[in-house]
Amino acid sequence: MSANIVAVQYLRRMRGGSQSHLLQASDGACYVTKFQNNPQHIRILANEMFATNLGHWLGLPMPRVEVIDVSNWLIQRTDDLRVELGRDAVPCKSGKQVASLYAGDKIEAALFDYLPDAALEQVVNLDDFARVLVLDKWTCNSDGRQAIFKRKTARSQEYTVTFIDQGFCFHAGEWKFADSPLRGVYARPRVYEGVTGWESFEPALTRAEQTDIADLSRCAAQIPEEWYEYDVDGLNRLIEALYRRRLMIRTLISDLRKSNRNPFPNWKGE
């Protein structure tokens, strides 16, 4: 990651429970920005950075994540930079926020959060849905897997998938691992039809299992302390738990395989 970028222009509000906003930054790029006083939990920001960095470590298609500085000046002059809490709306907090590189352009002409099954056949990296399960089971993503699809060119019928919104990894603000077979699973069964065995999760699975604690520490090193409420011991415990859990990933995927959902109908062997 680079040194902190600075928000220079407000673009619009995004959908979702974290009430993120699309901002243009000092590097010219656009970022989906989650604020410290979002209605979910401040640790959502730490989770977004940590889990996305882990995803990059595993070779998964995820947006670059940065620390973005949002000034009080911009917030005061932008009426829409607000967080809605029940019937009240309060200004977004200034300072360091988490910013995920926006996958589309400002008008979203070629960006989709849903594709029908027939169009899923045209996703060139559809097999990455199996690989991202490695991350979601490892980190106990307590949300369904979130993804967006981008058309490769304006006239192309092919798409690529990018995995977004890692805020509910580590069970959101609770930093615990309440594992359940269907947690972290994408809602559309079609994306898992290509799974035929353990090789379908490679190379992410082996890379996760071979991760050492220094690798995990590097993935967490750039998280601002205020995002995890200065609980350094808590962050260290989280890293240590992930190190132990790396050897549980196959068991967690097997529990999903044995569930009533039958997510992998073409996986016949052991």
Side-chain angles (χ1 to χ4, degrees):
M1 290 181 294
S2 61
N4 292 4
I5 54 177
V6 177
V8 297
Q9 183 181 359
Y10 178 82
L11 298 175
R12 59 183 175 81
R13 180 183 293 271
M14 305 297 288
R15 296 193 300 272
S18 66
Q19 298 187 29
S20 57
H21 297 264
L22 187 64
L23 306 178
Q24 188 164 15
S26 52
D27 63 354
C30 299
Y31 293 89
V32 178
T33 303
K34 295 181 180 179
F35 284 80
Q36 291 186 36
N37 60 334
N38 74 83
Q40 293 174 333
H41 200 284
I42 191 172
R43 286 183 178 177
I44 294 294
L45 280 66
N47 299 349
E48 191 76 43
M49 178 164 281
F50 193 6
T52 300
N53 287 342
L54 285 173
H56 292 160
W57 172 251
L58 298 180
L60 299 171
M62 291 185 171
R64 187 176 80 246
V65 65
E66 303 278 2
V67 178
I68 188 170
D69 282 318
V70 183
S71 68
N72 192 51
W73 183 92
L74 181 63
I75 292 170
Q76 289 180 341
R77 286 160 177 77
T78 308
D79 290 340
D80 287 340
L81 273 175
R82 299 289 184 271
V83 174
E84 296 177 2
L85 302 171
R87 295 182 178 180
D88 298 323
V90 299
C92 292
K93 187 173 182 178
S94 61
K96 297 176 181 178
Q97 321 301 334
V98 70
S100 299
L101 183 67
Y102 185 52
D105 57 28
K106 295 180 184 178
I107 60 173
E108 296 190 43
L111 200 64
F112 308 90
D113 56 14
Y114 171 87
L115 290 179
D117 281 0
L120 287 173
E121 301 284 347
Q122 305 303 318
V123 177
V124 297
N125 60 331
L126 193 67
D127 290 346
D128 280 325
F129 273 99
R131 300 183 186 106
V132 78
L133 262 178
V134 172
L135 177 73
D136 289 327
K137 291 303 178 183
W138 189 14
T139 61
C140 188
N141 185 356
S142 57
D143 195 6
R145 167 42 55 197
Q146 304 296 306
I148 53 174
F149 304 90
K150 187 175 183 180
R151 187 177 287 135
K152 295 186 71 174
T153 65
R155 296 184 178 182
S156 175
Q157 296 302 308
E158 292 184 333
Y159 302 85
T160 57
V161 62
T162 299
F163 300 117
I164 60 168
D165 200 359
Q166 278 62 252
F168 271 60
C169 292
F170 322 120
H171 211 276
E174 297 185 49
W175 279 13
K176 66 179 185 180
F177 298 96
D179 296 308
S180 180
L182 297 182
R183 281 187 167 162
V185 176
Y186 190 64
R188 310 284 299 290
R190 169 65 188 87
V191 303
Y192 301 118
E193 289 181 5
V195 174
T196 57
W198 288 113
E199 67 278 1
S200 299
F201 302 94
E202 298 293 356
L205 179 56
T206 295
R207 189 164 179 81
E209 291 174 330
Q210 294 177 349
T211 299
D212 62 37
I213 203 159
D215 299 321
L216 295 172
S217 295
R218 281 192 292 271
C219 288
Q222 300 300 319
I223 304 172
E225 290 184 332
E226 55 262 49
W227 291 1
Y228 50 89
E229 302 167 296
Y230 302 93
D231 184 7
V232 177
D233 290 341
L235 180 62
N236 288 334
R237 287 192 298 270
L238 183 66
I239 291 170
E240 291 165 2
L242 283 171
Y243 181 68
R244 294 190 299 269
R245 283 174 61 86
R246 78 198 195 285
L247 301 181
M248 295 172 53
I249 299 171
R250 290 178 190 263
T251 298
L252 295 169
I253 292 174
S254 293
D255 290 344
L256 170 61
R257 183 188 178 194
K258 296 171 186 175
S259 70
N260 292 334
R261 179 168 173 169
N262 187 26
F264 312 125
N266 296 313
W267 186 352
K268 304 301 183 184
E270 294 297 325

